[in-house]
Amino acid sequence: MLSANGIYKILFIIVFFQICCPLYGRTYTVGKNRDFNKISDAVHYARDNDTLLIEAGYYAEGAIVVDKKLTLLGIGYPIISGENKYEILRIVASGVTVKNILFKNAGVSFIDDNSAVRLDSVSNCVIENNKFYDNFFAIYLAQSRDCIIRNNVIKAANKKQTTSANGIHLWYCKNIVVDHNLIEGHRDGIYFEFVVKSVIENNTSRNNLRYGLHFMFSDSCIYTDNNFINNKAGVAVMFTRNVEMKRNNFENNWGAASYGLLLKEIYDSIIEDNTFKKNTCGIYYESCGRVKTANNLFLNNGWAIRLMANSMDNVFTKNKFIDNTFDVATNSSRNFNTFEYNYWNKYDGYDLDRDGLGDVPYRPVNLFSYLVVKNPPLLILLRSLFIELLNYSERIMPVITPSELTDNKPLMNKDYDTVK
């Protein structure tokens, strides 16, 4: 007969395993002649904290719903297909991790927003090291928070926006990290709407049908060290406050309605240390206020900056403007913004006191750029002798262009540190 002490020990062991086993979970293998043949059967049988090892193979099971805290780990990149009909994986439980899986052919549906992986009202999920080929939406997060989307390869080959959706799509989310992903061939590479306090870093978004990055109503987000290259319309940032965009590369976004960076109703934000190279327009400002644009390189753009009259109290400082067709264009005859300490390679002034600053102000808006904004077909006269004479006359005695839009402290060298 057991003593009281022995009974207590047995009860302790039973309680210990009841508590600890769910924490560490069990591992099941999915594959031919394994624990389960189908992923959906394994998900149905598993419990919280279990791990599903999915062996290489082809799985087409319709929509799979993950409603438990599981880890789905691919071995040899198993293929899970939506057969161009279905959503593939819908995650409705928090704490789910998905790694090393190839998702392909999520079906087109503008009603259901079919996705390869959809996170719906969850937190603390990780989508990492996966491949997404030819899906409608690739990764879709709705009303989720504290999730990580990292190191995924997302590609699509659609030619029309009417049959394409976004690579990484976030709606009503908070504290999301989007890091080291490659996105190409979708409608928008990365799309944010009503997203706050999130970080987008080290991604490459290229060759997309509309915007490489598109976000609206998404306050207090940070975008650093991303590449936005050769997207049909560039990058669009709208109706947002407190945005930081630093060390990004905006390159080769060409077209009649294309921009390196389009800003519309952006306030209290910082655009710093970015490169704008070979874009139709480097940055376009419409109804923007209190935006600091500093230390950026504008190289070989059509327009480096287009500044609409309804943009006020913005500061442009320590930027480098090199070999742009137009450095600054505006549709206003007045100026409510500050330009100082910028380097303009077209500046032909002098520095008699050798303090590193030009002794005469630089007027970055020439008459022709002002006229082209008012009447775009005039662009056909670019580089004509007549236009050069008009620009020269206006520079000496400004009548039409905003006389107040000047850089009174233009840098003589690209390096601001040479200023005394």
Side-chain angles (χ1 to χ4, degrees):
M1 187 164 181
L2 291 173
S3 64
N5 192 34
I7 293 174
Y8 286 138
K9 287 182 179 178
I10 293 173
L11 289 174
F12 173 79
I13 292 171
I14 293 173
V15 171
F16 176 82
F17 276 100
Q18 285 180 335
I19 294 175
C20 295
C21 285
L23 290 178
Y24 291 103
R26 301 158 299 177
T27 298
Y28 299 104
T29 302
V30 180
K32 189 175 182 181
N33 298 323
R34 298 298 182 179
D35 297 326
F36 298 94
N37 293 325
K38 298 177 66 175
I39 299 169
S40 53
D41 289 344
V43 170
H44 179 72
Y45 185 83
R47 297 186 303 196
D48 283 345
N49 299 306
D50 286 351
T51 297
L52 306 183
L53 301 178
I54 304 172
E55 292 191 335
Y58 181 83
Y59 302 85
E61 305 177 16
I64 301 171
V65 178
V66 178
D67 55 358
K68 301 157 188 171
K69 183 182 177 182
L70 301 177
T71 296
L72 276 62
L73 182 61
I75 301 173
Y77 281 99
I79 300 170
I80 307 180
S81 175
E83 300 180 286
N84 292 314
K85 301 175 183 176
Y86 317 107
E87 182 174 81
I88 298 176
L89 193 69
R90 178 178 288 248
I91 297 170
V92 296
S94 296
V96 172
T97 297
V98 178
K99 291 185 178 181
N100 303 340
I101 296 174
L102 192 161
F103 297 90
K104 62 183 297 184
N105 298 332
V108 174
S109 172
F110 286 99
I111 296 176
D112 298 325
D113 287 348
N114 283 342
S115 316
V117 174
R118 183 184 181 102
L119 283 68
D120 196 347
S121 305
V122 299
S123 63
N124 299 302
C125 292
V126 177
I127 310 299
E128 187 173 34
N129 295 336
N130 300 288
K131 299 177 181 178
F132 297 83
Y133 294 159
D134 294 321
N135 298 288
F136 188 49
F137 287 91
I139 303 173
Y140 191 126
L141 282 74
Q143 296 182 301
S144 297
R145 59 180 298 163
D146 302 309
C147 296
I148 298 173
I149 311 299
R150 178 183 293 146
N151 203 31
N152 299 286
V153 175
I154 301 169
K155 297 184 177 182
N158 277 322
K159 303 298 182 185
K160 298 180 179 178
Q161 292 187 32
T162 52
T163 56
S164 178
N166 304 324
I168 298 175
H169 183 106
L170 274 66
W171 179 72
Y172 269 107
C173 294
K174 184 177 182 181
N175 293 337
I176 307 296
V177 174
V178 180
D179 179 27
H180 274 104
N181 300 285
L182 169 64
I183 313 107
E184 65 179 18
H186 277 268
R187 181 178 59 191
D188 292 343
I190 303 172
Y191 179 91
F192 280 18
E193 188 173 2
F194 301 109
V195 177
V196 297
K197 297 183 178 178
S198 295
V199 176
I200 298 86
E201 57 187 2
N202 302 306
N203 300 283
T204 294
S205 183
R206 66 191 183 195
N207 303 322
N208 292 291
L209 302 178
R210 193 169 62 174
Y211 297 114
L213 169 67
H214 184 191
F215 66 90
M216 301 185 290
F217 312 108
S218 297
D219 296 344
S220 304
C221 292
I222 298 174
Y223 304 80
T224 63
D225 301 294
N226 300 287
N227 287 296
F228 302 108
I229 302 172
N230 200 32
N231 296 293
K232 190 75 173 182
V235 168
V237 182
M238 304 178 182
F239 314 112
T240 298
R241 294 178 179 271
N242 300 316
V243 176
E244 290 188 19
M245 304 190 78
K246 297 183 177 179
R247 299 185 303 279
N248 301 288
N249 182 38
F250 303 82
E251 187 172 341
N252 281 327
N253 300 293
W254 278 104
S258 183
Y259 307 89
L261 177 58
L262 165 65
L263 302 177
K264 183 177 178 63
E265 298 197 29
I266 303 299
Y267 302 97
D268 304 305
S269 297
I270 298 174
I271 301 170
E272 193 171 64
D273 294 319
N274 302 286
T275 296
F276 298 87
K277 182 179 179 182
K278 294 185 177 179
N279 304 287
T280 301
C281 176
I283 310 180
Y284 177 90
Y285 299 79
E286 182 175 337
S287 298
C288 296
R290 301 180 298 280
V291 176
K292 181 182 179 182
T293 305
N295 289 318
N296 301 285
L297 171 62
F298 295 90
L299 177 64
N300 288 327
N301 301 284
W303 286 270
I305 288 176
R306 291 185 66 178
L307 185 62
M308 297 297 101
N310 51 11
S311 294
M312 304 178 183
D313 300 322
N314 302 291
V315 175
F316 300 83
T317 185
K318 302 177 186 175
N319 300 290
K320 303 176 185 68
F321 295 85
I322 300 174
D323 293 339
N324 303 292
T325 303
F326 303 113
D327 288 330
V328 179
T330 182
N331 60 348
S332 173
S333 59
R334 302 191 62 186
N335 174 52
F336 302 98
N337 305 282
T338 301
F339 286 80
E340 61 182 10
Y341 299 115
N342 298 289
Y343 174 78
W344 314 86
N345 77 317
K346 296 175 184 172
Y347 179 64
D348 54 3
Y350 45 84
D351 180 21
L352 296 179
D353 57 4
R354 299 186 181 278
D355 63 353
L357 299 175
D359 294 343
V360 294
Y362 178 67
R363 300 184 185 282
V365 180
N366 64 38
L367 176 60
F368 186 52
S369 69
Y370 182 84
L371 296 176
V372 166
V373 171
K374 298 282 187 180
N375 193 355
L378 286 176
L379 194 59
I380 196 172
L381 299 175
L382 179 67
R383 306 190 194 289
S384 70
L385 177 61
F386 175 68
I387 292 300
E388 291 301 318
L389 290 173
L390 282 179
N391 282 334
Y392 185 73
S393 303
E394 180 72 11
R395 192 161 60 243
I396 295 174
M397 187 177 295
V399 176
I400 299 175
T401 58
S403 58
E404 301 160 340
L405 203 163
T406 60
D407 187 339
N408 293 320
K409 302 174 182 176
L411 298 181
M412 297 301 295
N413 299 294
K414 299 175 187 176
D415 188 0
Y416 173 77
D417 293 335
T418 60
V419 176
K420 298 177 181 176

